[in-house]
Amino acid sequence: QVQLVESGGGLVQAGGSLRLSCAASGRTFSSYAMGWFRQAPGKEREFVAVISWSGGSTLYVDSVKGRFTISRDNAKNTVYLQMNSLKPEDTAVYYCAAGSGPRMLVAGISESWGQGTQVTVSS
């Protein structure tokens, strides 16, 4: 099982940018689809973005399309989430996850979860 550690969260003004990183341990990182999810206070965790094992396929929730970009570096065992034009409604704890395929992750079915990193966007 892969272990995941997120970093890069923080406080940013609306319109600003942040880049989240998720470092994975284990030799099989490149065989996993990877995803980002978020959970705002009082709300359920929701899918944000997913990337296939090769990086050749990505999916996004409609609310972040055109603003967020998911990418991965298999040589560094790391997946990224570049977040631009941030809005107050993007405030949440962001989690990365590893799964057997992009569509499984979109459905919330994951083999591993990170501990989360807080993103706060002020208006």
Side-chain angles (χ1 to χ4, degrees):
Q1 192 176 26
V2 64
Q3 306 296 318
L4 305 173
V5 178
E6 302 96 334
S7 62
L11 173 63
V12 64
Q13 289 187 333
S17 298
L18 282 175
R19 188 175 81 154
L20 304 183
S21 299
C22 174
S25 62
R27 300 178 182 178
T28 59
F29 172 77
S30 60
S31 67
Y32 286 98
M34 298 296 297
W36 287 96
F37 293 74
R38 65 187 179 186
Q39 187 167 19
K43 295 187 177 181
E44 294 186 354
R45 183 153 51 188
E46 69 167 349
F47 158 77
V48 175
V50 66
I51 188 167
S52 62
W53 67 270
S54 68
S57 178
T58 57
L59 293 169
Y60 298 90
V61 67
D62 286 347
S63 60
V64 309
K65 285 180 180 177
R67 300 189 298 122
F68 291 11
T69 302
I70 188 171
S71 61
R72 67 189 296 162
D73 185 338
N74 287 342
K76 295 182 177 180
N77 280 13
T78 303
V79 62
Y80 305 96
L81 185 68
Q82 178 66 44
M83 305 186 295
N84 298 329
S85 301
L86 282 161
K87 304 175 181 181
E89 51 264 43
D90 294 317
T91 295
V93 178
Y94 283 72
Y95 300 88
C96 75
S100 59
R103 298 203 178 276
M104 297 289 280
L105 280 175
V106 170
I109 300 171
S110 169
E111 297 185 21
S112 294
W113 291 94
Q115 83 289 348
T117 186
Q118 176 71 46
V119 171
T120 303
V121 184
S122 63
S123 57

